[in-house]
Amino acid sequence: MRCLFACSVLCLFALTSSAQEQEKPDLTEVGLEQLINMEVTSVSKKKQSVAEAAVAIFVITQKDIQRSGATSIPELLRMAPGLNVAQIDANKWAISSRGFNSRFSNKLLVMIDGRTVYTPLFSGVFWDVQDTLLEDIERIEVIRGPGATLWGANAVNGVINIITKRPRETRGGMFTGGLGSEEKGFAGFRYGDEIDSLSYYRVYGKYFNRDNFVLTPGVPANDSWDMFRAGFRAEKSWIRGDSVTVQGDLYNGDIGDQETVPSLAPPFLVTLIDDAEVSGGNLLGRWERKFAHDSDMALRIYYDRTNRLDTVHRENRDTFDMDFQHRFAWGSRQEIVWGLGYRYTNDDISGIVVFDPSSRADHLFSGFIQDEIRFYNEEFRLTVGTKFENNDYTGTEIQPNVRMLWTPEEQHTIWGAISRAVRTPSRFEHNAVINVSAMPVQGGLLALTVLLGDPDFESEDLVAYELGYRAQPDPKFHVDVALFYNDYRNLRTFETGNPFFVPDIPPHLVVPLTPENRMDGHTYGLEVASTWMVTDRWKLAAGYSHLQVQLNREANSTDTASENAEGDTPKNQFQLRSFIDLPADLKWDATLYFVDSLFNQEVSSYWRADMRLGWYPGHNVEVSFTVQNLFHQEHPEFGTSFLISRSEIERNVYGKLVIRF
């Protein structure tokens, strides 16, 4: 299969080369120089080019999304070098940056249009409910490394900001639909128009139905899912420089769920199979005012409601968030950005997974300031800033950073940074009461291990050192290199307490397990991303990352398992993406991934290949066929852990039709 894949690449390259003079290529729509000078906003909360960003950043463009063949946001993130994206089953993913991967990777902050989707319940992201019409995504900015100075706690190892298009860019109608082996059926529509010359809107809806994966060959897992989503975005601008945006989404779905929980009766484990019911919605408003070319302000307010009822818990959560920022020039060399924020979240939880108290409201107050200083003919840019937060778990947190960027020549950039970031505790770590395991012990007595949240659990700390180099030595070649060393303190362990006897039927011992901060560690590594315009019809994009993780628990720690998180993230990852414009309005795209083994997850290293063939018979019509996981009928990408059963990820073949009108 791998030989066939390689031969296909070579044959199609030959076809491409022979047809270079026949038709205008599509790849020039987003040229290499445009990619490098693309505006991003997640680095400094202001518009700046990728070349000016003193941070390890990768941008997934709409053109990348169109030609990826992906049907979900997690699958799109596989394109970002340095991210580890592993699918656990048909509806769950483990996604992290620079280590510590798990279903709830607690050191990665994810946002959609600036709205955080990081859940404070388990510290992580429910990826199964993060979605939008992929054709409406303008770009995804992926920052590897701390972003806490601007975005706050939990932006420890990275920030993902998914940014959708403005309504004026999505005028007209669009229908998309398809079906396949795992994609049992999906469809979406969008319609947008102008209200007047300065006002625009769009509405959208989408639905998908995805099949089960398998536990072992021929044995289906209960992880099929379907979901409906709809939303809108409207925007009005005024000539004097103001603009107002209002947008919102609603979703409802059923997600196949299978959890194994402990029991005091033989065989001491019970597998629960049911469909999780999820629903929710959000409403976001943004007011922006431009005072001058170097001065503006923005006020963003949103409300988010999430409901989840799965086999082990029910959670209803309301979140209200308000954020203000102001940018202005100070003299001819400095630019200052500062802001204030407030977040309120309230939850109500019940089920087998118990939280004490069952309902809790939390307040988060924050402020930040950042100063960018340009000197020596603007060859050097020094950025210093800090974030101040006060939360109900650990009190006040301060997260400063300093970044330096040097541009010795127009096409070469060197940058370095030192940052502090924290991962604040979750509801799980402070308030959970969860039965972890049950087993008979000496004397015929039963022992029940119970995780008990600890209000004294503190924040995890990081001091990160980064160095990067970005260059375009040739108009057709670009390379981006980042080195990092992360020093972690107060990492989470689970400590065993003194057992105590409970006379309840059946009588048993309770072995308490509490989260504490008794582990330190460090990680270091290398990340490389490059793009090469081989011809005007063929583009290659490659990425490589190497990661070393070393964790050390304190001498008095009883936790013998947490250090094994060293093996939750691959040491080496490699990807090669090929985009080819063929004659006859065909486009052929292929991606090859290598992911190193995960010894703590019992996953061997694997190769994965995805291919897509698109046909564009007219300007407004697109037909495509995609094969994902070409090398394997099924294979695992992540392991089984507490309350999570993994599936074998199956090959997926599907067709898709897009019509614009």
Side-chain angles (χ1 to χ4, degrees):
M1 188 67 77
R2 293 175 192 174
C3 293
L4 177 62
F5 180 81
C7 290
S8 300
V9 171
L10 293 175
C11 291
L12 285 166
F13 171 55
L15 282 171
T16 301
S17 302
S18 66
Q20 283 184 26
E21 304 302 325
Q22 297 177 18
E23 298 177 21
K24 182 182 178 181
D26 176 68
L27 290 173
T28 56
E29 289 181 13
V30 182
L32 196 56
E33 191 167 339
Q34 288 176 275
L35 289 175
I36 296 166
N37 293 316
M38 180 176 295
E39 284 189 340
V40 294
T41 55
S42 302
V43 178
S44 300
K45 282 197 173 182
K46 66 172 186 175
K47 293 180 180 178
Q48 63 182 146
S49 71
V50 172
E52 296 174 334
V55 68
I57 185 170
F58 183 83
V59 180
I60 299 172
T61 67
Q62 173 56 219
K63 186 62 65 177
D64 292 328
I65 293 170
Q66 287 180 22
R67 302 187 65 163
S68 69
T71 56
S72 67
I73 289 174
E75 292 301 313
L76 292 176
L77 296 176
R78 290 184 191 272
M79 288 187 278
L83 280 190
N84 177 219
V85 179
Q87 192 163 5
I88 301 171
D89 64 18
N91 57 62
K92 300 181 186 67
W93 284 263
I95 300 175
S96 72
S97 169
R98 297 182 176 176
F100 304 96
N101 203 9
S102 70
R103 183 191 177 192
F104 298 110
S105 298
N106 55 30
K107 298 175 182 58
L108 180 68
L109 186 68
V110 182
M111 296 175 290
I112 299 178
D113 286 329
R115 176 176 58 86
T116 180
V117 296
Y118 182 97
T119 174
L121 185 65
F122 292 105
S123 289
V125 176
F126 285 108
W127 286 104
D128 48 18
V129 294
Q130 311 311 329
D131 197 10
T132 188
L133 200 63
L134 300 189
E135 287 78 3
D136 286 351
I137 296 176
E138 179 180 301
R139 65 185 186 275
I140 302 175
E141 299 179 6
V142 179
I143 297 174
R144 307 182 303 277
T149 296
L150 294 177
W151 300 108
N154 310 318
V156 176
N157 284 350
V159 177
I160 295 174
N161 195 5
I162 300 160
I163 299 167
T164 61
K165 295 177 181 177
R166 304 182 72 168
R168 70 184 180 191
E169 298 168 353
T170 54
R171 283 172 285 176
M174 186 195 71
F175 167 80
T176 178
L179 52 85
S181 59
E182 300 303 314
E183 302 285 348
K184 306 303 288 184
F186 60 90
F189 79 90
R190 176 240 292 150
Y191 184 77
D193 204 349
E194 66 176 33
I195 301 171
D196 56 44
S197 61
L198 295 174
S199 306
Y200 304 89
Y201 75 94
R202 71 164 177 264
V203 295
Y204 82 92
K206 68 179 294 186
Y207 171 81
F208 66 78
N209 180 7
R210 293 175 184 152
D211 197 14
N212 293 308
F213 282 162
V214 294
L215 296 174
T216 58
V219 180
N222 182 63
D223 53 8
S224 64
W225 55 318
D226 63 88
M227 192 166 295
F228 172 77
R229 182 178 296 268
F232 76 98
R233 178 167 174 169
E235 185 175 285
K236 180 172 180 56
S237 302
W238 287 267
I239 296 175
R240 65 177 183 269
D242 290 74
S243 67
V244 173
T245 301
V246 180
Q247 64 186 87
D249 306 89
L250 291 170
Y251 65 88
N252 187 287
D254 294 315
I255 300 175
D257 193 23
Q258 179 170 315
E259 314 277 5
T260 300
V261 299
S263 168
L264 289 174
F268 307 110
L269 288 173
V270 176
T271 298
L272 305 175
I273 299 175
D274 203 350
D275 286 343
E277 300 173 9
V278 296
S279 62
N282 62 80
L283 183 64
L284 182 147
R286 183 187 300 106
W287 170 39
E288 297 175 325
R289 166 166 286 189
K290 191 176 183 65
F291 302 109
H293 75 281
D294 55 3
S295 178
D296 53 43
M297 55 139 285
L299 176 66
R300 186 190 64 230
I301 300 174
Y302 71 80
Y303 167 75
D304 198 333
R305 168 76 177 186
T306 60
N307 306 300
R308 175 176 288 266
L309 174 60
D310 61 30
T311 55
V312 296
H313 90 296
R314 177 187 63 83
E315 177 194 6
N316 299 322
R317 178 173 297 279
D318 297 286
T319 301
F320 172 78
D321 187 283
M322 182 167 57
D323 177 87
F324 170 81
Q325 71 173 62
H326 179 211
R327 178 180 69 94
F328 65 93
W330 190 12
S332 60
R333 297 178 181 274
Q334 297 187 66
E335 187 173 80
I336 294 176
V337 183
W338 67 278
L340 299 171
Y342 169 71
R343 181 176 305 155
Y344 168 82
T345 182
N346 179 58
D347 62 28
D348 182 20
I349 304 167
S350 61
I352 296 174
V353 174
V354 176
F355 283 74
D356 183 17
S358 61
S359 180
R360 174 169 174 163
D362 289 303
H363 304 266
L364 173 68
F365 300 89
S366 64
F368 77 91
I369 184 167
Q370 179 167 283
D371 186 8
E372 180 183 281
I373 308 165
R374 300 180 294 275
F375 55 95
Y376 198 68
N377 297 324
E378 300 199 358
E379 281 190 18
F380 292 89
R381 297 185 184 209
L382 174 66
T383 305
V384 294
T386 189
K387 181 99 175 183
F388 302 91
E389 285 189 356
N390 185 277
N391 65 77
D392 289 347
Y393 289 88
T394 60
T396 301
E397 302 282 2
I398 302 174
Q399 300 170 91
N401 81 4
V402 56
R403 296 181 181 274
M404 175 68 85
L405 184 140
W406 178 33
T407 310
E409 297 179 25
E410 186 178 356
Q411 304 300 331
H412 297 266
T413 299
I414 300 171
W415 61 270
I418 303 175
S419 314
R420 179 179 185 267
V422 302
R423 200 276 292 179
T424 53
S426 65
R427 271 274 269 153
F428 164 77
E429 286 147 336
H430 270 219
N431 303 132
V433 182
I434 304 175
N435 295 341
V436 176
S437 66
M439 65 180 67
V441 294
Q442 193 171 14
L445 200 60
L446 296 174
L448 179 66
T449 301
V450 181
L451 190 148
L452 301 171
D454 184 354
D456 292 328
F457 181 79
E458 299 175 351
S459 295
E460 298 179 326
D461 297 322
L462 164 71
V463 176
Y465 306 86
E466 299 175 278
L467 184 65
Y469 174 65
R470 195 175 287 129
Q472 187 183 0
D474 183 273
K476 295 185 177 182
F477 181 75
H478 172 256
V479 63
D480 192 335
V481 182
L483 297 166
F484 65 92
Y485 177 85
N486 289 348
D487 187 8
Y488 298 92
R489 303 292 179 190
N490 298 324
L491 292 174
R492 183 181 65 194
T493 58
F494 291 101
E495 305 296 333
T496 304
N498 294 323
F500 55 90
F501 182 73
V502 175
D504 293 348
I505 299 176
H508 59 278
L509 284 175
V510 170
V511 181
L513 203 61
T514 57
E516 297 189 26
N517 304 86
R518 295 194 188 182
M519 188 165 69
D520 297 334
H522 62 265
T523 64
Y524 60 91
L526 163 72
E527 297 156 345
V528 182
S530 67
T531 305
W532 178 26
M533 298 294 296
V534 184
T535 72
D536 59 355
R537 287 181 168 274
W538 187 19
K539 182 174 77 174
L540 288 175
Y544 170 75
S545 63
H546 178 78
L547 174 69
Q548 290 284 346
V549 182
Q550 180 66 54
L551 302 176
N552 303 293
R553 60 188 170 97
E554 295 177 4
N556 61 352
S557 173
T558 61
D559 186 345
T560 59
S562 292
E563 285 177 311
N564 294 332
E566 294 174 358
D568 288 341
T569 310
K571 285 187 177 181
N572 297 286
Q573 289 191 102
F574 170 79
Q575 63 170 265
L576 180 64
R577 294 185 289 140
S578 169
F579 307 90
I580 300 176
D581 293 345
L582 296 168
D585 300 314
L586 293 171
K587 302 180 192 301
W588 185 76
D589 310 305
T591 305
L592 181 67
Y593 300 96
F594 170 75
V595 181
D596 219 338
S597 60
L598 308 176
F599 68 81
N600 194 41
Q601 300 294 328
E602 298 181 345
V603 174
S604 303
S605 61
Y606 61 88
W607 291 87
R608 169 181 167 134
D610 299 342
M611 288 201 299
R612 172 186 176 275
L613 181 64
W615 179 43
Y616 299 76
H619 182 68
N620 295 321
V621 179
E622 171 188 339
V623 180
S624 62
F625 296 92
T626 299
V627 182
Q628 296 175 325
N629 201 17
L630 178 65
F631 291 158
H632 307 277
Q633 185 65 40
E634 63 268 328
H635 77 114
E637 294 187 355
F638 210 71
T640 296
S641 58
F642 177 62
L643 294 179
I644 298 174
S645 300
R646 78 176 182 192
S647 300
E648 300 273 323
I649 312 306
E650 292 189 288
R651 181 178 299 143
N652 185 18
V653 182
Y654 66 90
K656 180 180 178 181
L657 170 68
V658 179
I659 300 175
R660 294 179 173 84
F661 53 94

